[in-house]
Amino acid sequence: MQVEGLSRWPDPPSRVRVFAQEDLHCTVVFLGAVGAKEAQRGWSVARDIAFAQVQGGFGEVRALGNPSRPSALSAIVSDGADELAAMIDRVRGPIARAAGARADTRPPLPHMTVARIQRRATVQDRRAALAWAQALEVRRASFRVTSLGLYTWANDRAQRLFQIVDEHPCQA
């Protein structure tokens, strides 16, 4: 996902980790704790699914996850949401089945996680994180999905959280 126009944000409160620019993405399917072999099997299915580039913009930043202990602070896609939701809906089932991962039956919610609240955050830390997130300006930012990527955890998570294992380009 190529993102442009994100303003510099104020420093986050304690117990919030802001994603590096290179880590910004929209999750199409979360494979969970499957092994590398299973993930590759699921990924091989993606090669046979044609999908077009999607572009758009963002609306609000919302806390996602458990409502009483949200963990993800995410920019919700506004412009392009229908197209991105259709892409997610079309590819996540076949990939998850091929990988042996649990199927996600919820309606797709196109979003880009920009920060995470740490597990050890107190109630006060979470309140501060939510207030910080609501003040983030993302409405002027735009995105373009040009490829589908298979991600894993980065080897050195001090710098980045994720690394791309493989990519399939979208059709122009």
Side-chain angles (χ1 to χ4, degrees), residues 49-68:
I49 301 172
F51 45 93
Q53 292 185 14
V54 178
Q55 58 186 10
F58 302 99
E60 65 182 335
V61 174
R62 192 185 311 167
L64 299 178
N66 181 326
S68 63

Side-chain angles (χ1 to χ4, degrees), residues 6 17 19 30-31 34 37 46 52 65 103 115 121 136 158-159 161 165:
L6 285 179
R17 179 170 184 172
F19 282 20
F30 181 71
L31 299 177
V34 302
K37 184 177 177 181
L136 297 179
Q159 298 298 315
L161 293 177
V165 175

Side-chain angles (χ1 to χ4, degrees), residues 47-126:
R47 286 181 219 148
D48 299 331
I49 301 172
F51 45 93
Q53 292 185 14
V54 178
Q55 58 186 10
F58 302 99
E60 65 182 335
V61 174
R62 192 185 311 167
L64 299 178
N66 181 326
S68 63
R69 292 181 54 89
S71 59
L73 302 173
S74 302
I76 305 301
V77 172
S78 56
D79 300 332
D82 291 342
E83 295 89 347
L84 196 49
M87 176 199 288
I88 293 168
D89 200 39
R90 194 165 31 125
V91 302
R92 72 179 177 180
I95 292 172
R97 278 190 298 278
R102 186 176 61 100
D104 188 347
T105 58
R106 300 172 296 179
L109 177 63
H111 65 279
M112 175 184 71
T113 299
V114 297
R116 283 236 176 244
I117 303 171
Q118 296 176 351
R119 286 189 183 115
R120 297 178 309 232
T122 64
V123 170
Q124 294 82 7
D125 292 332
R126 288 182 192 284

